[in-house]
Every structure is written in C-alpha cells, then in structure tokens.
Amino acid sequence: MTQPLTAPAPLLAAPLDACIAPSVAHGPRAEPTGVLDRFEDWTRLAPQAPAVIDDARVWTYQDLDAAAEQVAAALGDRVRPGDLVGVCLDRSTALVVTAVALARMGAVYLPLGPRPGERRTQAVTEDLDVACLIGDPGVLPEGHRGGEHLPLPLPTDGVNAPAAVVAAFTHSARGTRRAPESALYAVLTSGSTGRPKAVAVAEASLSVALDWYRAETGLAPGDRQSLLIGVAFDPHLLELWAGLTSGAALVPAPDDTRWDSRVLTDWWRDRALTHAVAATPTVEPLLDRPWPQDLKLRHLVVGGDRMRRRPGADVTATVHNAYGPAEATVVTTTHTMRGTDPDAGEQAPPPIGTALPGVTLVVTDDDGRPVPRGQDGELRVGGHCLALGYLDPELTARRFTAPPQEPELASVDRLYRTGDRVRMNADGSLDFLGRLDDQVKISGVRIEPAEVEAAFEQDPRVRSAVVTVLRDSSGHGRLVAHLRLTDGAEPATGDLLDAVRAWLPEQAVPATVRLVDGFPLDANGKVDRPALAAAVPAPVAPRTATEDEQADTEATATGATATERLVLATVRDLLGRPGTGLGDNFTDEGGTSIIAARLLATLERETGVRLRAPELLRSTDLRAFAALLDQRRTPQQAGA
C-alpha cells in the first residue's frame, strides 16, 4: 500500500490553522517505463510460457507474438501509426491479439465493445477520424457491414470468440479529430452533449499504473490474471496489459460470470485464478455470505463504484478498493484491506485510499485553492497518471487546468478536475463523498444524465427529456427518464427504450420511463430535479387502469403461488416498477446484468434454491421463471 509524501503547510490566501496541512498529497516517485517492450521481453525470455488460457487452448507468448504479427501484416499500410482503430470484440484471445498488434503498429486502440450501439458508433465515427472497425461482420453497425471488409487472421475459437473477424473500412466521410501523438489507447466516457467523449492515454501513463499493479500484487510468471471487465470499460486495459507485462497468463471470462456472483467464484476456482479485477457491484454480493475457502485468488482489485462495506475476516484474498477516472489512467488511489485487519467486516464504506506512485492529489475549493485536510472539496489529480487529454481540445482546456501557485505543486504542470467530492484525512487518504455535478454511477459506470436525455431527444416523438436517479435503501441506483412527448405522439415506452439502446451502453438505459405533461421548476427557473424524482410513483410504462389492476390482482390472486408472489414482489422492488406483472419479461421491463445478480441472490436467500442467470433470461416471462423455481424447490418422488 503506497504512502503519500506530504510537505509542510504553505501560506495560503485564506488563513488556515497552522497545525492543519493543506489537502495536497503526493504518491511515491515513479518513472514511466514501457508496455509493449515488457511484453516483448517476456516473449524472448519465456516464449513457451502461457500467455492466454481459454476453453479451447493455451496460447504461449510465442503464439501470441506470432498471431499479432500476422494481424499487423494483414492490416499493412491500411492502418498507419496514430490512426484510431475501433475494436468491437469481447473478452477473448482475439481481443488480446488485436491489442498487441495495434500497439506494435503504433495505432491507437479504441475499445467499443462487442456489440456497439448503431447510433453511438455513428456519432463516434462522425466526430473522430476512425480508420476502421475490427469485429465480427455479422454484428458490426450497419454503416460498416456494407463497406470494404479485410479478413483478419484472428482466433475464432475459445471464450467469447467471434465467428469471423474483419477490418471494416467505409467510404463515407470520417471525423476530423485524431488522437494526439504518443497515444496508446483512447476510451469513450459519458458526454453531456449527448455525444460520447474520447480521452487519449499515452503508453507512459499506463506503464506507471502497471508498474504499481505488479509491485503491489506480486503478479509474476506462473500466475493467472482475470480478463473479466467489460471491454468498453477502461479497467480492462489494466487487466490485459498487467498479465502481458508480467509473464503471467490471461484467462478470458465467460459472459455469465458478470451476471451471477456464484458463477464468478466458481470460475475463479475452476480456472485457478490468482489475480482478478472486478466491478464493485459484482463483488458486493460475495461479501454478504461466507467467502469460499478453496480459492487460489491472492489479490482482488475492486472499483467503479462506492464500496459500502469492508471484507470480512474470512476473506482470504487481499482486496484493493480502487478509484480512478479514465482521464487519470484507470487507477489513481487505492486502499488495501485484508481479513486480518482489526476493522475487517465493518459495515462502513472504506476510504478510496492514498495516491499511487507518480500521482498528486489536491482537494480544492470553488476557486481551485487547496482546502485544509478534513474539509470537503473537489478532487483534482496530477502527475504521470494523467491522460493526454480529450480528442476535443476545447474540452481538454476546460478540464485539464494549470495548478494553483502553491509550493507543494511546483513540480506539477496540470491538474484534472474530477468533479468528485472528497475529504482528505490527516494521513493523506481520501474519503469519497459523491459527485459535485449531475454525473452518477450506475452499476459501476459513470453516466451523464444529459447524455441519456440527449439520446431520448434524438427521437422525433420526444419533445424533451429529464433523467433522474432513484436509489433504494441500500444505495443502489437506477435511472428514471421523464419524457414530454410531441403533440399527437403516443409511443409505447418499450419502443422509446429500444430507440435509445442504439445510443447508450447498457448501464445508461433507464429502468423506468415516465411520461409527463411538463417539468416542475425551482426558484431560478431551472428544472427542479429533486421534485421530479420525488414524484415517481412508478410504473412508467403507460399501462391502462385495467392493466394495472390486473397486474396487482395477479400478485394476490388465489391462483398465484407463493413463489410467483415472491418473484413478482422482488422484481418490482428491484426495478422500481410496481405495475410489472407475471406475464412480463425480465429484460423487457428494464432488467440488467447487475439487477439479475441481485434478484438471483435474493431468491436464493429466501428459498435456498440457486438458479443461474441464463435460466432467468431464457424464461419467456416471470410466471415461467417462478415455475422453474417451484420445480427446483419440489423434491422428486421416488420413481417419478
């Protein structure tokens, strides 16, 4: 665990208690190294060591190196150094080979996920100078399915493997924004204009985070590192390159591991994982029950959302509570927890920790001046971890700013304004207190409500949209879209949700849609979002009074089984849709992977029956799912 270096308190414009240091902390010194060079070093030192282990085969470092070379040769001069390449692949050997090939070519890896939304991809390619998309031609966006396809020699077997892979080029006009020089990768973050923002990161910045990861976790040859995080989410780059720069083996995760926390631990056990990275909402259910004692997992890095409790004394892995925006290269601070800690198992949020090597933390007031330690303020981050900036220069100028004239910051040339509200403790560690603006996190992913609103307003049937967050008693949030329709429009809410799915990642699609005649205003004439959120009675789907009455009757009618009532009540509570009926489909009603995991955990706690996510997803409706649960609860008679 890194310890921050602090300096004596400077003289600030505002008088401070002489005994209270300002909220400035520096991580240990760090020097950038290489990323691709380290992979190539292991290829020379241990060519037969496993680099990727999946269900189909083991790929050695030599195998991976040769496959990447073939892909680079196939792309030839069609992709030049500095070109942005959109990667539409899932966690797989094909993804790993592609990442290595693009790094070797000097191209900029832009992960979009295996099934990028049609409209979202269109917005990206209109804004950015994307040379091509790499993915399965059957699932590429329509605009790239009809373009020129260059077949690529990528693996088509193993976990999450594509059926075929092409580099898809189009003849339509490309955007003008290119990645800055020395960029290794770029990732999309939520944009308040309704169009995603792209932030570019240099190899040097990623190398510092990787050096920390290897030193902190001891990842080394013989170890197995998860490849679990969703590809459009930047922590997957930490997983991928941590394995390849340490001589360890990457293990791609099957898709159902992200739906069910028990499936996740089974996978850890079956694949003998020693190191893993996971989203906080995925790990939380694991901490609410006894920790499996037969795991080889030594280190678990958790991030993406606020952790609400500490691991218990039975947790055998070291758990690192990590924080870091994409603009600061995945990880900025961490807090390390072990089962032997005196406070193990406490039902209280742990801090987000201290600065990583090469990282500077500053907590500021509204004017950008450091506040005294112990006082709330906005977190600003500087140091080697900073991204090169957004591909939009104006946005970069607004969010990456010059530091205040303070002695402690003399060596810092710029700071990134995170928009997060934090408090720095006396030891330099940070407590996370929430967002200063409207940005929220849903299932571990940062979401700009304005982006979701803009996606709805692309629909000619929607005059205006306002998105709020509804949180349950445990703090889990879900988005609610309040829509004012154009005159004469009478769309089904399901159709409206289907339309925005082409623009948004899964976590940004609201669980609930509410049709309104207008929006309440506050004293300043702005939309009163708290009042709007308080008015959510729920169901947003515009059922008729008869349909609502029928749905309620289903839950209490004598014909409904106790299991049906349990399933219906639990789904209604998790989705925030009281009008949901037994004849409704879970995903059509707004169910997501995270909500499915919570539903399955609740039903197991209540019934003792463990069902898998695919069984929920394959059920035509909630009645069929309840019947399956009843079937598992009923012991078979002898001879049946």
Side-chain angles (χ1 to χ4, degrees):
M1 178 173 166
T2 59
Q3 296 297 322
L5 305 178
T6 58
L11 296 176
L12 302 178
L16 298 178
D17 187 321
C19 297
I20 300 177
S23 295
V24 178
H26 303 280
R29 290 182 59 83
E31 291 296 333
T33 56
V35 174
L36 183 62
D37 286 348
R38 282 186 177 272
F39 163 74
E40 294 179 339
D41 286 345
W42 284 113
T43 300
R44 289 190 296 270
L45 292 170
Q48 299 307 314
V52 181
I53 300 173
D54 67 18
D55 285 344
R57 61 173 283 188
V58 174
W59 291 72
T60 66
Y61 273 81
Q62 185 177 64
D63 294 335
L64 197 62
D65 179 70
E69 193 63 34
Q70 288 181 336
V71 172
L75 290 170
D77 59 2
R78 298 297 302 273
V79 174
R80 300 164 300 171
D83 278 353
L84 284 160
V85 176
V87 178
C88 306
L89 298 170
D90 207 343
R91 304 173 303 272
S92 62
T93 304
L95 178 79
V96 179
V97 173
T98 300
V100 174
L102 294 179
R104 182 165 288 166
M105 298 175 70
V108 181
Y109 173 88
L110 175 64
L112 300 176
R115 293 179 179 269
E118 182 80 34
R119 304 297 293 275
R120 184 176 177 86
T121 307
Q122 180 182 344
V124 170
T125 54
E126 287 175 353
D127 292 345
L128 308 181
D129 185 8
V130 178
C132 64
L133 298 186
I134 292 178
D136 185 331
V139 298
L140 287 176
E142 183 177 356
H144 285 77
R145 285 200 293 269
E148 178 189 355
H149 289 177
L150 175 66
L152 294 179
L154 282 164
T156 54
D157 56 358
V159 175
N160 303 320
V165 189
V166 300
F169 299 84
T170 65
H171 300 294
S172 57
R174 283 155 49 172
T176 58
R177 293 175 182 164
R178 292 180 56 82
E181 189 176 348
S182 78
L184 175 69
Y185 71 87
V187 290
L188 302 182
T189 65
S190 189
S192 60
T193 63
R195 302 177 78 89
K197 302 175 294 188
V199 59
V201 177
E203 181 179 8
S205 296
L206 182 61
S207 76
V208 173
L210 294 172
D211 289 347
W212 163 81
Y213 187 94
R214 290 190 300 269
E216 184 72 11
T217 69
L219 184 64
D223 288 331
R224 296 187 177 191
Q225 168 69 52
S226 69
L227 191 60
L228 170 68
I229 299 295
V231 174
F233 194 22
D234 65 301
H236 92 272
L237 285 142
L238 182 71
E239 292 184 294
L240 190 153
W241 286 108
L244 297 182
T245 58
S246 64
L250 290 169
V251 185
D255 194 54
D256 60 354
T257 54
R258 69 190 185 101
W259 288 82
D260 188 328
S261 56
R262 287 193 183 274
V263 174
L264 177 62
T265 53
D266 287 348
W267 176 68
W268 285 345
R269 178 188 302 107
D270 295 343
R271 295 295 179 266
L273 269 292
T274 59
H275 294 69
V277 179
T280 308
T282 305
V283 172
E284 280 183 332
L286 298 178
L287 304 181
D288 291 331
R289 57 175 180 261
W291 185 262
Q293 294 300 299
D294 54 351
L295 300 179
K296 292 187 176 181
L297 193 71
R298 301 199 309 270
H299 288 272
L300 173 60
V301 178
V302 181
D305 207 339
R306 184 186 304 193
M307 205 170 185
R308 293 172 174 82
R309 57 161 295 175
R310 297 170 186 266
D314 62 336
V315 176
T316 53
T318 299
V319 179
H320 307 267
N321 185 31
Y323 162 88
E327 293 85 351
T329 316
V330 189
V331 183
T332 305
T333 67
T334 58
H335 177 71
T336 301
M337 297 170 285
R338 299 176 177 85
T340 54
D341 294 342
D343 52 7
E346 281 190 4
Q347 298 289 326
I352 57 174
T354 53
L356 263 62
V359 173
T360 292
L361 307 173
V362 189
V363 184
T364 70
D365 58 20
D366 292 342
D367 296 324
R369 309 284 294 186
V371 299
R373 295 197 181 192
Q375 183 173 313
D376 300 358
E378 179 182 8
L379 175 61
R380 303 190 188 211
V381 179
H384 291 305
C385 64
L386 285 195
L388 295 167
Y390 299 104
L391 271 60
D392 179 348
E394 293 182 2
L395 182 59
T396 300
R398 291 199 300 270
R399 298 301 296 271
F400 292 82
T401 62
Q405 297 296 314
E406 303 291 342
E408 291 82 3
L409 300 175
S411 61
V412 177
D413 58 354
R414 59 189 184 129
L415 294 173
Y416 169 68
R417 298 187 61 178
T418 67
D420 289 326
R421 187 165 63 90
V422 301
R423 178 190 306 117
M424 184 174 288
N425 301 308
D427 63 355
S429 66
L430 295 177
D431 292 327
F432 182 82
L433 305 176
R435 290 290 301 171
L436 291 169
D437 53 22
D438 292 332
Q439 192 180 77
V440 296
K441 279 195 175 180
I442 301 294
S443 300
V445 176
R446 287 192 295 164
I447 303 295
E448 292 269 11
E451 179 178 14
V452 184
E453 292 163 1
F456 276 105
E457 290 168 359
Q458 299 286 338
D459 193 316
R461 298 167 295 183
V462 177
R463 176 177 297 173
S464 54
V466 175
V467 172
T468 61
V469 180
L470 191 63
R471 296 195 180 275
D472 60 22
S473 57
S474 64
H476 295 283
R478 54 181 175 265
L479 296 179
V480 179
H482 310 262
L483 306 182
R484 185 181 178 193
L485 301 180
T486 55
D487 292 341
E490 296 181 356
T493 53
D495 291 342
L496 295 170
L497 286 171
D498 286 343
V500 299
R501 284 191 175 97
W503 283 97
L504 302 170
E506 174 191 3
Q507 296 86 347
V509 177
T512 303
V513 173
R514 180 168 175 255
L515 305 181
V516 298
D517 294 326
F519 304 116
L521 304 180
D522 61 19
N524 295 321
K526 298 181 179 180
V527 174
D528 191 338
R529 291 174 182 267
L532 196 58
V536 179
V540 277
R543 300 175 183 269
T544 65
T546 301
E547 289 172 326
D548 275 339
E549 182 179 356
Q550 180 182 354
D552 290 336
T553 301
E554 284 182 315
T556 55
T558 55
T561 68
T563 303
E564 287 174 339
R565 292 195 293 270
L566 171 63
V567 168
L568 191 58
T570 306
V571 170
R572 285 178 170 184
D573 178 61
L574 290 174
L575 296 180
R577 299 174 69 99
T580 299
L582 289 170
D584 291 324
N585 177 271
F586 174 74
T587 52
D588 289 347
E589 290 296 292
T592 65
S593 59
I594 298 298
I595 295 175
R598 294 170 60 200
L599 170 63
L600 296 172
T602 299
L603 294 178
E604 182 180 359
R605 186 168 58 249
E606 295 294 328
T607 68
V609 175
R610 177 186 175 190
L611 294 178
R612 297 293 183 95
E615 295 175 308
L616 170 61
L617 302 179
R618 286 196 298 263
S619 298
T620 55
D621 54 31
L622 296 178
R623 183 181 287 105
F625 179 66
L628 177 62
L629 186 58
D630 262 332
Q631 180 183 345
R632 298 289 176 82
R633 296 177 75 179
T634 304
Q636 297 293 317
Q637 296 182 359

